[in-house]
């Protein structure tokens, strides 16, 4: 998952632990990596582009969503929407309608919204595991840059990423 979402994660200013937590949770829930990554990328882009309309469709504060997006906290915006789906019984198809285009009928996007919304606590636990693991290697590793912005080499970064993904995946299972 991380290899497939890393580029979009970088453009969304998401940390590597956030991407590992998302990917590990979806993988443990048996979401196909290719389909899940593509759907997750579409969800993240839509949050950045259509946060006001998504907030309205989910019944959450548009101002709060605006603040998350403007501050670069797309992960927090995603959690807010997932929480609305879970606790307010918001139909993910309404969010897909806002996303527009082929997203309106994409079963994988619906599956990503549904799986993550029903497993928010697991996602948060996985985020903690991933953050702890990446922090133990040093703050340079938390960047979405595969080279850790020059502080560590790609091979080290990928091996830590793989180890943390395995921990997260084991926790979610």
């Amino acid at each position: 998952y991380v290899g497939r979402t890393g580029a979009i994660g970088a453009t969304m200013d998401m940390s590597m632990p956030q991407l590992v937590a998302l990917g590990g949770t979806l993988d443990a829930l048996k979401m196909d990596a290719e389909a899940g990554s593509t759907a997750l990328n579409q969800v993240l882009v839509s949050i950045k582009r259509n946060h006001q309309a998504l907030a309205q469709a989910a019944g959450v504060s548009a101002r709060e969503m605006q603040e998350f997006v403007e501050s670069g906290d797309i992960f927090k915006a995603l959690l807010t929407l997932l929480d609305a789906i879970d606790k307010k019984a918001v139909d993910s198809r309404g969010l897909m309608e806002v996303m527009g285009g082929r997203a309106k009928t994409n079963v994988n996007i619906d599956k990503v919204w549904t799986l993550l919304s029903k497993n928010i606590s697991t996602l948060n636990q996985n985020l903690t595991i991933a953050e702890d693991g990446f922090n133990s290697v040093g703050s340079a590793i938390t960047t979405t840059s595969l080279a850790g912005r020059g502080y560590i080499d790609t091979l080290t970064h990928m091996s830590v990423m793989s180890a943390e993904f395995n921990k997260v995946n084991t926790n979610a299972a």
Side-chain angles (χ1 to χ4, degrees), residues 8 11-12 40-50:
I8 198 74
T11 62
M12 299 292 156
L40 182 59
N41 287 346
Q42 290 173 320
V43 165
L44 296 172
V45 167
S46 186
I47 290 171
K48 190 161 191 167
R49 290 184 183 160
N50 304 320

Side-chain angles (χ1 to χ4, degrees), residues 51 57 75 80 93 95 98 128 132 151 156:
H51 54 275
F75 191 79
T80 299
R93 289 174 291 192
L95 300 177
V98 169
T128 300
D132 289 349
Y151 294 111
T156 303

Side-chain angles (χ1 to χ4, degrees), residues 13-109:
D13 294 323
M14 294 179 70
S15 69
M16 195 55 71
Q18 289 170 336
L19 293 173
V20 168
L22 285 165
T25 301
L26 287 171
D27 187 62
L29 296 168
K30 308 299 182 215
M31 179 78 188
D32 174 72
E34 187 170 336
S37 299
T38 300
L40 182 59
N41 287 346
Q42 290 173 320
V43 165
L44 296 172
V45 167
S46 186
I47 290 171
K48 190 161 191 167
R49 290 184 183 160
N50 304 320
H51 54 275
Q52 297 288 341
L54 287 168
Q56 183 177 0
V60 299
S61 166
R63 190 181 81 223
E64 184 178 44
M65 288 293 285
Q66 177 78 27
E67 289 172 7
F68 292 146
V69 171
E70 286 179 356
S71 70
D73 201 346
I74 299 298
F75 191 79
K76 186 72 169 179
L78 174 64
L79 288 177
T80 299
L81 293 170
L82 294 172
D83 191 57
I85 294 169
D86 183 46
K87 292 196 171 103
K88 297 180 181 180
V90 170
D91 189 341
S92 61
R93 289 174 291 192
L95 300 177
M96 292 166 56
E97 189 71 30
V98 169
M99 291 173 70
R102 287 185 266 161
K104 292 183 199 178
T105 57
N106 189 318
V107 295
N108 292 319
I109 290 173

